[in-house]
Amino acid sequence: MMFAILFTVFVFILGWLCIWWYIAYSRAEKYLKNIPGPQSFPIIGSVYNLGLNQGLVRSLMTNHKKYGDIVKFMFGFSPKLFVFGQKQAEFLLSSNFILDKSNDYDHFHSWLGNGLITSTGKHWKQQRKLLTPAFHFKILENFIKVFENQSKILLDKLEECNQQEVDIFSFIRLLTLDVICEATMKTSVNAQINSSSKYVNSVKEMTRIIFARAISSFKYSNFLFQFTSDYQKEKNALKVLHSFSDTVIKTRRAELTEQNLSMIIEKDTKKMSFLDILLQSLVDGEPLSDRSIRDEVDTFMFAGQDTVSSALSFTLYSLAKYQDIQDKVMQELLSIDIGNKQLTYNDLQEMRYLEQVIKETLRLYPPAPYFGRTLSEDVNFDGHVLPKNLSIVLFNYALHRQESLFPDPEKFDPDRFSVENCRVRSIYSYVPFSAGPRNCIGQKFAMLEIKHVVSTILKHYKLLPVIGHEPDIILHSILYSHNGLHIKLQEHKPVLDITS
């Protein structure tokens, strides 16, 4: 009897869900019926067609090849477009009206709140205007010392690995965490020294949980997520992360008040730190709340650590793999004569070929491999009326491999980014930092950090490939290699002096 009742309830709920799905599907098809994509089925939609973890990149590339530059999916009850071409990239990223992030970013809110990555509308515009001065070149110059100090710790760690095979990503992710923490909040979590600290583990746990929710139909729902083990793990991680940021913010606010530094800072805004800019800023005549400041600080901690660690690690891997290109970079470093002095901002600006190498790395391995937007109104594009609330995702990993934009796209060729070649290419053909109004505000900071760390390592070590190792590319909160990024280090003899 009980089984019959439960079975009847199950059938009723399943039938109701199927009807609900069909209504959602019919509404989507009213607008999107002429856009190709894999077949959809009740409730699950067409997500069955997308592999998870390691398979997701391959699945998206396969669908792009099969259906073209615009592909329609039903993610359960919600339609979503994946776009892959330059024309679609320009449409999506250049618009001053399509500014709202897609629901793919919803799971960041518990950690990043209403920060620059997740905010929309008037609040986003205010924050973007407020934070832009934090990346003036005069402020960026001040971070060179941070790069230097943390790079020295990295060298101490790598010294134990001479002539050995290492997963360079495991070292770099700790370095970038130390750098962004010191640059953002003028304090350190000492991740390279204590890699098992609560803060380091909490950052790692949060990035894992966010991606796990994005690919799980069960965990995606805020309601259902509460019944999983990851819910409590997220609460514990957030307690550590938010407590650390709150403590630093309150301490720095007290210091500014006690020392009466406001007038000094206002006289030279180009030397203000990121946190100081937030503490001194007014919105509608009122100072920012500690919560608003924490949202922005946590946002920069996430964006400045994960994406840079991916870009930097893949750059070092590529230099190890392509010895002739590494040799050219070394020739450039020697011509700048960086061996007998501490690196300066001008030195980093002179590393033009290294910058081309970094850009080519970012073409093949973009740290943020997709950008999502949600339409706030109906939009006409390429003969289609795209409905309000539709999510559109640009998969720039595929965009950067378009044969028409980058001939022989799998070839690693830094000359693609010579001044001459860049002049004839649309800015929307290459978007590792996004583009348009919502481009990455910290991209100059990232480029300086990568240049500094790479050049510092190359002063001391020749990077060698590990025979047979090929990265197993996976989409997480960033693009990274599931099986690591393995290289070998061979110490230069004599070691170039950087302490003079």
Side-chain angles (χ1 to χ4, degrees), residues 310-427:
S310 174
L312 183 45
S313 299
F314 275 108
T315 299
L316 293 168
Y317 164 78
S318 298
L319 286 168
K321 184 174 183 179
Y322 303 103
Q323 291 290 300
D324 56 331
I325 291 173
Q326 184 180 164
D327 290 342
K328 290 181 181 179
V329 171
M330 281 302 300
Q331 288 300 315
E332 178 177 70
L333 298 182
L334 291 171
S335 70
I336 299 172
D337 191 26
I338 65 171
N340 297 314
K341 61 180 180 179
Q342 295 175 346
L343 291 170
T344 66
Y345 180 82
N346 288 335
D347 289 334
L348 298 177
Q349 295 298 99
E350 287 295 311
M351 298 177 187
R352 296 185 179 89
Y353 186 72
L354 176 55
E355 183 165 325
Q356 290 178 211
V357 171
I358 295 168
K359 287 181 175 180
E360 176 68 347
T361 301
L362 296 177
R363 181 185 71 83
L364 286 170
Y365 309 107
Y370 57 86
F371 305 108
R373 298 288 187 271
T374 295
L375 302 183
S376 57
E377 58 185 28
D378 290 359
V379 174
N380 288 294
F381 175 69
D382 201 23
H384 305 286
V385 177
L386 305 181
K388 179 180 178 180
N389 296 325
L390 177 68
S391 288
I392 306 176
V393 178
L394 169 66
F395 189 48
N396 62 348
Y397 181 89
L399 170 68
H400 293 172
R401 285 170 164 75
Q402 295 266 7
E403 182 86 32
S404 59
L405 302 174
F406 300 100
D408 196 5
E410 295 299 331
K411 179 183 178 181
F412 190 88
D413 182 10
D415 288 335
R416 299 182 199 273
F417 294 94
S418 66
V419 175
E420 296 76 15
N421 287 330
C422 287
R423 283 199 191 106
V424 299
R425 193 163 52 231
S426 166
I427 61 172

Side-chain angles (χ1 to χ4, degrees), residues 98-131:
I98 308 175
L99 297 175
D100 293 351
K101 292 295 184 75
S102 68
N103 54 11
D104 302 278
Y105 297 82
D106 288 352
H107 301 136
F108 286 95
H109 280 282
S110 61
W111 181 10
L112 309 183
N114 207 22
L116 201 59
I117 288 178
T118 52
S119 60
T120 59
K122 181 181 178 182
H123 180 79
W124 170 77
K125 291 179 180 178
Q126 286 178 333
Q127 297 302 93
R128 177 80 183 204
K129 184 177 181 181
L130 194 69
L131 296 171

Side-chain angles (χ1 to χ4, degrees), residues 151-389:
S151 293
K152 286 180 179 179
I153 297 174
L154 174 64
L155 290 176
D156 289 340
K157 296 294 180 180
L158 293 179
E159 190 175 2
E160 305 169 6
C161 305
N162 186 35
Q163 301 293 346
Q164 296 181 28
E165 175 183 332
V166 298
D167 175 8
I168 198 64
F169 181 78
S170 64
F171 290 89
I172 296 302
R173 61 179 291 269
L174 299 175
L175 164 93
T176 55
L177 181 55
D178 275 339
V179 167
I180 196 62
C181 188
E182 187 174 347
T184 300
M185 297 189 282
K186 291 188 173 179
T187 189
S188 178
V189 291
N190 296 314
Q192 295 186 91
I193 296 172
N194 183 13
S195 61
S196 60
S197 72
K198 284 186 177 181
Y199 190 90
V200 173
N201 287 333
S202 295
V203 170
K204 186 177 181 180
E205 187 74 337
M206 276 305 301
T207 56
R208 180 194 67 79
I209 291 171
I210 287 170
F211 183 71
R213 294 193 65 187
I215 63 174
S216 168
S217 56
F218 188 83
K219 293 179 182 179
Y220 195 93
S221 163
N222 289 332
F223 174 74
L224 296 176
F225 179 61
Q226 298 176 77
F227 302 101
T228 68
S229 60
D230 274 349
Y231 177 70
Q232 190 59 49
K233 291 177 182 178
E234 179 182 89
K235 286 179 65 177
N236 293 337
L238 289 174
K239 183 178 180 180
V240 173
L241 297 172
H242 287 163
S243 294
F244 180 82
S245 299
D246 286 340
T247 299
V248 173
I249 291 166
K250 290 176 181 177
T251 300
R252 184 57 179 160
R253 190 187 288 278
E255 289 174 353
L256 291 176
T257 302
E258 181 180 345
Q259 299 173 26
N260 195 25
L261 294 178
S262 299
M263 292 181 62
I264 298 174
I265 292 175
E266 287 172 0
K267 288 180 181 178
D268 193 357
T269 57
K270 292 177 182 178
K271 292 186 178 180
M272 292 172 67
S273 72
F274 174 71
L275 180 56
D276 287 344
I277 285 179
L278 292 170
L279 288 167
Q280 294 296 311
S281 295
L282 299 176
V283 175
D284 297 329
E286 297 292 330
L288 295 174
S289 67
D290 284 356
R291 174 58 189 271
S292 294
I293 293 174
R294 189 187 75 189
D295 289 348
E296 298 302 346
V297 166
D298 287 345
T299 294
F300 274 81
M301 288 293 294
F302 164 73
Q305 193 251 337
D306 260 15
T307 54
V308 178
S309 62
S310 174
L312 183 45
S313 299
F314 275 108
T315 299
L316 293 168
Y317 164 78
S318 298
L319 286 168
K321 184 174 183 179
Y322 303 103
Q323 291 290 300
D324 56 331
I325 291 173
Q326 184 180 164
D327 290 342
K328 290 181 181 179
V329 171
M330 281 302 300
Q331 288 300 315
E332 178 177 70
L333 298 182
L334 291 171
S335 70
I336 299 172
D337 191 26
I338 65 171
N340 297 314
K341 61 180 180 179
Q342 295 175 346
L343 291 170
T344 66
Y345 180 82
N346 288 335
D347 289 334
L348 298 177
Q349 295 298 99
E350 287 295 311
M351 298 177 187
R352 296 185 179 89
Y353 186 72
L354 176 55
E355 183 165 325
Q356 290 178 211
V357 171
I358 295 168
K359 287 181 175 180
E360 176 68 347
T361 301
L362 296 177
R363 181 185 71 83
L364 286 170
Y365 309 107
Y370 57 86
F371 305 108
R373 298 288 187 271
T374 295
L375 302 183
S376 57
E377 58 185 28
D378 290 359
V379 174
N380 288 294
F381 175 69
D382 201 23
H384 305 286
V385 177
L386 305 181
K388 179 180 178 180
N389 296 325

